[in-house]
Amino acid sequence: MVLLDGKKTSNDIKDEIKVAVTAMKERGEKVPHLAAVLVGSDGASLTYVGSKVRACEYVGFDSTLVELPDTTAEEELLNTIKGLNENEDIDGFIVQLPLPKHIDEQKVLMAVNPNKDVDGFHPENFGKMALDMESFIPATPFGILQLLERYQVETKGKHTVVIGRSHIVGRPMSILMSQKGPAGNSTVTLTHSHTKNLSEITKQADIIIVALGVPEFLKADMVKEGVVIIDVGISRVPDASKKRGYAIKGDVAFAEVSEKASFITPVPGGVGPMTIAMLLKNTLLARERNA
Ligand code: NAD
């Protein structure tokens, strides 16, 4: 079994970006500038945004964090987005999800200028991605493709089963795995909460990408020998033995499934760190495209 080490691979990618940024500086060019908008004080969101800002510092990007209170009106947030769209110094920005309930998430994502949409959530980018056009690929699916590619996992002609059809992971992943090109050319089955006999389907899979958010959902008796496992899930499970009171669990029962797998991502240290690295990569692409 080979561990798909997202921590190491993401560090490699960050180092490649750092080299590109140093070269930009040496040529006297502007370095990429990423902004993040955080509405409210959700614990997990604060952690994610903090990691994104630190990653920017590491690679030499400029970064701006816009923190707004829970009570921010939708109109106010839309105005903030308008300001970022118009600010020529900002190459790309993200609005950290989830947003408070009184704000229409779709309206907010639609307001982001697609050329600065480094999360790849705007319909224009999603549509372009589906049509093999130049776009920003959402960071988590982009990170998964990179892991598969860099570990030379064969995907061509393989049966890939995706569990979960979210707009940010499952749905784009199902499209990308079926496309022509590296880490593509797979035969894809997209499964979700209405899928019947899920384990009959997963037992036929060469590659399983799990993104549903149920800790240790995928068990060894649901997979075949030699399967490739990509675990996207991140859940906080109460654990008194941990100082912070919880443990991070993926969607895969790692101990038992890893015994049958040929490749597997750990949680933490798999897909999670790749997501941040690919957000940086998209920001670098935004700078290059907007230069
Ligand atoms: P989501 O929470 O929006 O949706 C869950 C999906 O799972 C739905 O499409 C639903 O149909 C499907 N589902 C639920 N129960 C099912 C069942 N019994 N059988 C089959 N399908 C079922 O999904 P999301 O936003 O993609 O998040 C999924 C998990 O991935 C969460 O734990 C989230 O925290 C994590 N996540 C991690 C990263 C990362 O960087 N590693 C990024 C995004 C999301």
Side-chain angles (χ1 to χ4, degrees):
M1 181 272 290
V2 175
L3 204 64
L4 295 168
D5 187 342
K7 201 157 185 228
K8 181 196 172 294
T9 310
S10 67
N11 284 335
D12 292 347
I13 293 171
K14 282 192 271 185
D15 286 337
E16 290 161 19
I17 295 172
K18 200 173 179 174
V19 169
V21 174
T22 307
M24 279 175 158
K25 275 190 194 152
E26 280 168 7
R27 292 193 298 267
E29 294 170 13
K30 176 185 139 22
V31 299
H33 186 167
L34 174 70
V37 183
L38 177 64
V39 186
S41 50
D42 174 70
S45 292
L46 277 168
T47 310
Y48 293 145
V49 169
S51 312
K52 289 170 188 175
V53 170
R54 277 196 303 281
C56 280
E57 283 165 10
Y58 179 77
V59 297
F61 284 6
D62 287 336
S63 68
T64 297
L65 175 57
V66 183
E67 285 184 274
L68 300 171
D70 265 321
T71 50
T72 304
E74 187 179 279
E75 203 51 38
E76 214 178 321
L77 177 58
L78 291 172
N79 270 331
T80 302
I81 291 173
K82 189 165 176 282
L84 293 170
N85 283 340
E86 288 167 359
N87 184 339
E88 285 186 6
D89 195 58
I90 301 232
D91 298 291
F93 67 96
I94 61 152
V95 181
Q96 185 66 45
L97 302 178
L99 291 168
K101 295 235 174 328
H102 65 276
I103 297 179
D104 181 345
E105 206 165 277
Q106 207 171 27
K107 209 165 163 183
V108 168
L109 298 180
M110 291 282 284
V112 176
N113 174 350
N115 296 328
K116 295 190 177 190
D117 171 39
V118 286
D119 255 341
F121 293 164
H122 191 284
E124 185 175 318
N125 279 314
F126 199 96
K128 284 182 169 173
M129 176 201 73
L131 295 169
D132 296 313
M133 294 165 75
E134 186 178 273
S135 68
F136 293 113
I137 298 173
T140 303
F142 197 6
I144 293 170
L145 293 183
Q146 281 292 311
L147 266 182
L148 292 170
E149 215 180 311
R150 289 182 184 233
Y151 277 87
Q152 297 178 336
V153 176
E154 182 63 271
T155 57
K156 188 165 74 178
K158 302 290 181 190
H159 181 202
T160 296
V161 172
V162 180
I163 308 180
R165 58 179 163 188
S166 73
H167 295 166
I168 59 169
V169 187
R171 187 77 56 80
M173 213 55 239
S174 71
I175 295 168
L176 292 162
M177 293 300 291
S178 71
Q179 283 181 332
K180 289 180 185 164
N185 289 315
S186 236
T187 304
V188 178
T189 305
L190 178 58
T191 66
H192 45 77
S193 50
H194 292 276
T195 298
K196 296 207 167 69
N197 303 324
L198 180 67
S199 58
E200 290 310 310
I201 299 169
T202 52
K203 271 192 267 187
Q204 294 170 32
D206 302 307
I207 301 168
I208 307 180
I209 300 170
V210 203
L212 77 158
V214 179
E216 304 194 318
F217 174 86
L218 191 79
K219 305 275 196 277
D221 63 3
M222 296 169 75
V223 306
K224 71 177 180 189
E225 211 54 63
V227 67
V228 175
I229 300 284
I230 305 288
D231 187 354
V232 185
I234 303 176
S235 300
R236 290 182 177 189
V237 178
D239 185 339
S241 71
K242 304 269 181 213
K243 221 161 104 190
R244 56 190 175 188
Y246 63 86
I248 299 286
K249 292 271 178 214
D251 287 347
V252 176
F254 184 88
E256 52 181 89
V257 174
S258 60
E259 293 197 354
K260 288 174 99 173
S262 55
F263 294 88
I264 186 166
T265 58
V267 176
V271 175
M274 291 299 292
T275 298
I276 295 183
M278 300 328 284
L279 175 68
L280 300 176
K281 180 77 182 171
N282 275 343
T283 308
L284 179 66
L285 289 172
R287 172 89 283 272
E288 289 167 352
R289 287 176 193 168
N290 295 338

